[in-house]
């Protein structure tokens, strides 16, 4: 599928489905080390994105990303809302007025998303947050820069999976899980997991 | 899960409807985004005091809206911080040239969403300041973590800054006062059972029949450690020690003691715990000059209590005593 | 059983110690027999209003002692009515030539023990009258049974008679007023979970995960029937129907609606239920002119709610609005 | 044992032991159809009687019964306190200044106790209360009027046992159990059971 505004919208719809399917899993991950709402928060947000897209898809990929950003910011709440919202907002800014996203633009957007999350949340790698999924996702994407959009996103999703897995052994230092300290070891960070799910959904949509 | 609800997704909106009709003399409720606003807002010339956060901690914050306390409360979904546009809505409904103080509990979600709202308000030339309360001694404070949580101290902070705003203090003064309160209030909580979030349907954590979660937060986040059930004397002693040694509070200090129910604790047990805390503080020479006992910052039906100590001086005592008229706290009017 | 207590046999005494120290401005507590007495008792020239009953229903009755409400409360052991000598102690501490009204909830134990105390007081030439409140529509009323129980209406009765006594009404007038209130107040309760009495250590009844006890009492006595869990709309609808059809309350009636938490119900759910009840009453043309929402007559940590309706007229409304200053109810002062 | 003041005191001490042993049973019976305190209430009362007797045994059987009555009234509370208190008070009045209880006096006292409970509580036979244990206890005692004190009390205890048993099938019409109506059928009334226990303890003490 071409990475036009329509393509991005389709990817977001696919992501909404994946989030709905994994709602309970994300709630349970958050129940273990947080407050049991991550799946609920993201479902609410992505359901709202799908509705917003129904009333009209913006003209550019940047417009679609911005719509996703503002919807997430105004519907999700919690930590994940502003963080994912900022990610999409920064990505949108990078996309400018391009009618279609190519690989270099995608890499720029991914890097901007990561930087946005870090600027907003102040987490670094190893803090056991979604940043731990995003960092390996961006490097893996950069490593696949010779391939197609789908290749790049698949590499990013693979990286995010590994990153999410890595949070199991970490002592959280940001977000709600940080209150638990060592007691959180052995649990995967729900935000890292949702990042991996979203990137996988985008990668599948791009095939 | 057995709850007196209809659709779990509508719990907050339906509950706010009940609040609105029960307290129409004090407040108005707005829908989507949900807001609780003082009936006479905006109050001309007055600094607005606005707070909010996830729902499920009632009466915090909506139950504290009214003369002498909050101008608006922003209730998010259960245990989930509200979004920036909701906070912005509260600011718009209450804030004039005197500006507004946002009282934010230190949770990543609250901090991020209120921060964004404050930026948006600044862009509209409103003088909006934020303070972040982090009074929970259960959590290790460190720049390498999310830091301490905002818990029981929030209630006292909202009452005292609300009183200062009501008497006409400037935003600078109200903000400075808030920072002073935050600097000298400390809390600790314990849980005997877990809350059940409506959209989850299961208890937020599993606690054995003889276990207590020591240092619990107000969202069912686990605490400092899990300890075996023990006598009220021992448990309250442990709590007093944790709070007193932190600031520290010292012999001769005048304090307000706030003994809070987390929601499901019988009042019989709550006053029993309060009596023990008073005795232990007296033994340390700490002078309890004011007290608050009741369910004021809760975690749904969670059984447990928290203790909060605030160091008092004449100004804080006077502001605490000032008239207040809200659904949950009322005196002097 | 996990509770914040020391020795189960000492729970009431230790809890009263906490109440005493928390509200020293309003009340004094005496030991053995346990009593809660207004700090300024006996109030010269005033009819004393005295109530009491088993503990475990807090804030009822000790939390309602103070200007504008009760002169004394007599707390028995948990869920067990106090003994005549305790009631006699309360009468002695509060009653002068103006006499005393005893407010008794209709339970065999309360009735017998208060009756005996009233006889003893009469022997000492004190003018002591008793009224028995029996507002629970869950129980079939018949001279062949113990009759209806006294539940939520007790709170309203204590407030209104307390206000009348405070403004200087005679014992005849206060007694007549009490009988009037009893004649036009009705209640119904439901339980989602059982309370655990400290000296028993186990829940007072077993309720399946999808069962609700409809028509519950405040001592964990089972109710009218056991029903499957249902939506808040359905459940509150059933409760409103039971109460409204009993008196009956009719279109055009002005009422006070009291939505009570049985102890363990989150405030979020309580206000949700209150909102539904207001809507259903409005649909029937019944005019809710005053309301009370909160945990005021509880059954330890039991989850559940009760609804109480009192038919208002100008006099009752005025007495309801009159200033009151007690640990649990306070306004106007 | 002779039915002097000391003998009555010994019987009350024996009764206190029996109540302590059956505390949980009585709580459980009350839990099923009442408020789970009957065993607790009676233990509190009989423990207080034992303490009161320690500071001195009154001179006559009537004095001992009166001490029991006032202690029960001031320590038990609930429905059982005034009811058992009245029973002992009325019995005490019948005993007058006799130094020792003989069979006719015992029968008078038992009848007075039953009348006292009925005067105070307004229950009749078949209401599923302690009255249903007392009525057959009194008639059985009357039937054994030719025997010894121990024979009379044993007959009374046997009658009370049968009476307590009979409450299982009744729909309660007095006390807290009456709220339950038909749902109480199948449960023994706790007060009837405690009456049977007390009479059995007295009978054993009289041997
Ligand atoms: N400071 C932070 N930086 C990056 N990610 C964070 C930060 N704080 C929290 N997160 C992420 O947010 C996730 C939790 O999101 P969510 O449960 O929706 O919000 P909340 O914690 O407010 O309930 C965590 O699993 C983590 O990945
Ligand atoms: N009106 C009555 N007449 C005779 N006995 C009664 C009456 N009401 C209650 N009882 C007896 O009292 C017993 C309950 O005593 P208890 O549990 O101690 O008091 P409460 O019911 O106040 O909790 C019942 O089992 C019954 O035998
Ligand atoms: Mg969460
Ligand atoms: Mg959350
Ligand atoms: Mg009882
Ligand atoms: Mg009982």
């Amino acid at each position: 599928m071409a990475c036009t505004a329509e393509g991005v919208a389709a990817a977001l719809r696919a992501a909404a489905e994946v989030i709905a399917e994994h709602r309970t899993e994300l709630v349970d991950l958050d129940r273990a080390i947080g407050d049991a709402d991550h799946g609920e928060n993201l479902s609410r947000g992505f359901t709202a994105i799908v509705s917003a897209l129904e009333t009209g898809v913006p003209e550019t990929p940047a417009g679609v990303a911005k719509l996703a950003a503002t919807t997430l910011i105004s519907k999700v709440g919690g930590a994940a809302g502003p963080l994912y919202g900022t990610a999409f907002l920064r990505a949108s800014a990078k996309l400018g007025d391009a009618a279609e996203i190519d690989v270099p633009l995608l890499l720029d957007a991914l890097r901007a998303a990561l930087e946005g999350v870090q600027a907003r949340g102040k987490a670094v790698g190893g803090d056991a947050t979604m940043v731990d999924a995003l960092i390996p996702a961006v490097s893996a994407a950069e490593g696949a820069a010779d391939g197609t959009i789908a290749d790049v996103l698949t590499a990013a999703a693979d990286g995010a999976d590994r990153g999410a897995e890595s949070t199991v052994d970490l002592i959280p230092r940001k977000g709600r899980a940080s209150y638990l300290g060592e007691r959180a070891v052995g649990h995967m960070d729900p935000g890292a997991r949702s990042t991996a799910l979203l990137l996988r959904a985008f990668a599948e949509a791009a095939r | 899960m057995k709850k007196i609800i209809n659709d779990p997704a509508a719990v907050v909106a339906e509950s706010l409807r009940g609040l609105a009709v029960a307290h129409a003399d004090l407040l108005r409720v707005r829908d989507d985004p949900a807001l609780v606003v003082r009936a006479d807002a905006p109050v001309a010339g007055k600094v607005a005091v606005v707070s909010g956060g996830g729902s499920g901690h009632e009466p915090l914050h909506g139950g504290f809206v009214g003369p002498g306390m909050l101008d608006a409360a922003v209730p998010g979904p259960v245990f989930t911080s509200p979004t920036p546009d909701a906070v912005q809505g509260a600011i718009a409904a209450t804030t004039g040239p005197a500006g507004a103080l946002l009282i934010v509990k230190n949770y990543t979600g609250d901090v991020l969403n209120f921060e964004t709202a404050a930026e948006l308000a600044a862009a509209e030339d409103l003088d909006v300041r934020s303070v972040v309360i982090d009074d929970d001694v259960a959590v290790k404070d460190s720049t390498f973590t999310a830091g301490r949580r905002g818990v029981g101290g929030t209630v006292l902070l909202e009452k005292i800054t609300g009183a200062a705003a009501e008497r006409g203090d400037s935003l600078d003064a109200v903000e400075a006062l808030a920072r002073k309160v935050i600097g000298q209030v400390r809390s600790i909580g314990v849980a005997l059972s877990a809350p059940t979030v409506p959209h989850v349907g299961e208890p937020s954590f599993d606690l054995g029949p003889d276990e207590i979660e020591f240092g619990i937060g107000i969202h069912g986040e686990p605490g400092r450690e899990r300890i075996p059930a023990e006598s009220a004397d021992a448990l309250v002693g442990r709590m007093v020690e944790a709070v007193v040694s932190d600031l520290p509070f010292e012999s001769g200090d005048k304090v307000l003691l706030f003994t809070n129910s987390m929601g499901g604790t019988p009042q019989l047990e709550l006053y029993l715990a309060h009596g023990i805390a008073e005795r232990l503080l007296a033994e340390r020479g700490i002078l309890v000059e004011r007290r608050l006992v009741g369910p004021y910052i809760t975690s749904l039906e969670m059984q447990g209590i928290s203790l909060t100590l605030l160091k008092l001086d004449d100004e804080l005592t006077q502001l605490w005593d000032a008239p207040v008229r809200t659904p949950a706290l009322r005196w002097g009017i």
Side-chain angles (χ1 to χ4, degrees), chain A, chain B:
Chain A
M1 186 189 288
C3 227
T4 58
E6 270 306 340
V8 176
L12 286 169
R13 286 191 205 98
E17 271 177 42
V18 168
I19 291 295
E21 278 159 28
H22 291 265
R23 179 183 167 284
T24 310
E25 177 195 341
L26 294 171
V27 162
D28 287 343
L29 288 176
D30 199 21
R31 192 167 94 89
I33 56 170
D35 59 352
D37 62 359
H38 189 57
E40 178 75 11
N41 293 346
L42 287 190
S43 312
R44 194 170 49 245
F46 278 87
T47 306
I49 290 176
V50 171
S51 310
L53 289 172
E54 266 163 24
T55 65
V57 174
E59 286 182 7
T60 57
V64 177
K66 187 162 181 203
L67 180 73
T70 54
T71 307
L72 291 174
I73 290 174
S74 72
K75 291 293 171 194
V76 175
L83 292 169
Y84 277 125
T86 304
F88 279 97
L89 207 59
R90 297 283 182 103
S92 160
K94 278 289 171 213
L95 296 174
D97 48 16
E100 189 172 340
I101 306 176
D102 59 12
V103 168
L105 203 50
L106 174 60
L107 291 175
D108 277 350
L110 285 174
R111 276 185 222 108
L114 168 59
E115 280 164 25
V117 169
Q118 292 200 272
R120 188 103 246 165
K122 312 277 183 313
V124 297
D127 285 352
T129 70
M130 57 175 69
V131 168
D132 288 302
L134 279 170
I135 290 175
V138 170
S139 5
E142 284 168 340
D146 294 344
T148 64
I149 287 276
D151 294 338
V152 171
L153 285 170
T154 302
D158 292 344
D161 276 338
R162 287 190 303 274
E165 205 53 60
S166 78
T167 64
V168 173
D169 299 321
L170 295 173
I171 298 180
R173 283 193 296 248
K174 281 283 179 283
R176 220 173 271 286
S178 71
Y179 309 138
L180 272 159
E182 305 206 336
R183 289 171 74 190
V185 172
H187 296 278
M188 184 181 291
D189 177 66
R193 173 70 177 140
S194 63
T195 295
L197 287 171
L198 290 173
L199 286 170
R200 182 69 59 198
F202 296 162
E204 299 288 328
R207 284 199 184 282
Chain B
M1 172 185 62
K2 254 184 297 181
K3 289 191 167 280
I4 304 177
I5 60 174
N6 294 308
D7 175 8
V11 168
V12 173
E14 290 190 52
S15 184
L16 289 174
R17 234 167 279 154
L19 185 76
V21 67
H23 304 287
D25 51 333
L26 294 176
L27 51 84
R28 304 274 176 272
V29 163
R30 307 200 187 166
D31 268 348
D32 203 20
L35 287 185
V36 183
V37 180
R38 230 174 110 156
D40 56 352
V43 182
K46 180 183 163 303
V47 169
V49 181
V50 173
S51 191
S55 292
H57 310 302
E58 292 68 27
L60 191 88
H61 301 269
F64 298 135
V65 171
M69 214 158 163
L70 296 182
D71 291 83
V74 196
V78 174
F79 291 178
T80 298
S81 84
T83 55
D85 51 325
V87 180
Q88 226 191 325
I91 295 169
T94 56
T95 307
L101 182 74
L102 305 184
I103 295 181
V104 185
K105 302 194 295 305
N106 190 34
Y107 299 96
T108 307
D110 288 301
V111 170
L112 295 182
N113 287 288
F114 276 80
E115 213 172 61
T116 308
E119 283 169 23
L120 293 168
E124 292 181 23
D125 280 335
L126 289 172
D127 194 357
V128 173
R129 320 270 176 89
S130 301
V131 291
V132 176
I133 170 145
D134 56 349
D135 56 315
D136 186 355
V137 306
V139 175
K140 262 198 236 120
D141 191 13
S142 142
T143 47
F144 299 109
T145 70
R148 291 183 156 182
R149 301 174 288 216
V151 288
T154 313
V155 177
L156 313 184
L157 179 62
E158 292 179 1
K159 167 66 182 83
I160 287 171
T161 52
E166 199 72 43
R167 76 176 175 193
D169 282 15
S170 70
L171 183 55
D172 280 341
V174 177
E175 184 189 0
L177 176 74
R179 295 193 191 283
K180 175 170 134 180
V181 170
I182 292 167
Q184 55 203 55
V185 66
R186 294 292 184 276
S187 301
I188 186 90
V190 298
L192 278 66
S193 74
T196 297
V197 177
H199 64 249
V200 179
E202 287 178 78
S204 293
F205 52 88
D206 306 305
L207 209 52
D210 293 314
E211 286 178 335
I212 288 178
E213 188 72 42
F214 188 79
I216 191 75
I218 55 172
H219 303 90
E221 324 92 311
R224 196 188 263 196
E225 54 176 334
R226 199 155 278 196
I227 60 171
E230 57 187 358
S231 71
D233 281 338
L235 183 65
V236 176
R238 195 188 289 268
M239 295 173 76
V240 166
E241 170 61 29
V243 172
V244 166
S245 64
D246 188 88
L247 190 63
F249 294 89
E250 289 169 347
S251 179
D253 281 353
K254 297 175 181 174
V255 300
L256 186 159
L257 168 61
F258 168 29
T259 305
N260 175 61
S261 158
M262 294 293 201
T265 293
Q267 193 184 303
L268 197 70
E269 294 176 34
L270 189 66
Y271 272 102
L272 189 150
H274 179 79
I276 297 170
E278 290 243 11
R279 174 165 53 75
L280 296 175
L281 291 171
E283 283 170 16
R284 290 169 183 258
I286 296 168
L287 310 167
V288 179
E289 303 233 312
R290 292 294 182 275
R291 51 275 286 173
L292 181 68
V293 184
Y296 292 108
I297 170 169
T298 62
S299 185
L300 294 169
E301 68 272 72
M302 185 165 87
Q303 286 190 287
I305 61 172
S306 67
L307 292 182
T308 298
L309 276 186
L310 167 66
K311 205 158 162 171
L312 290 176
D313 57 25
D314 288 347
E315 186 194 18
L316 294 188
T317 306
Q318 199 184 320
L319 289 165
W320 178 256
D321 289 344
V324 59
R325 183 171 176 181
T326 69
L329 271 196
R330 180 168 178 183
W331 53 75
I333 0 180

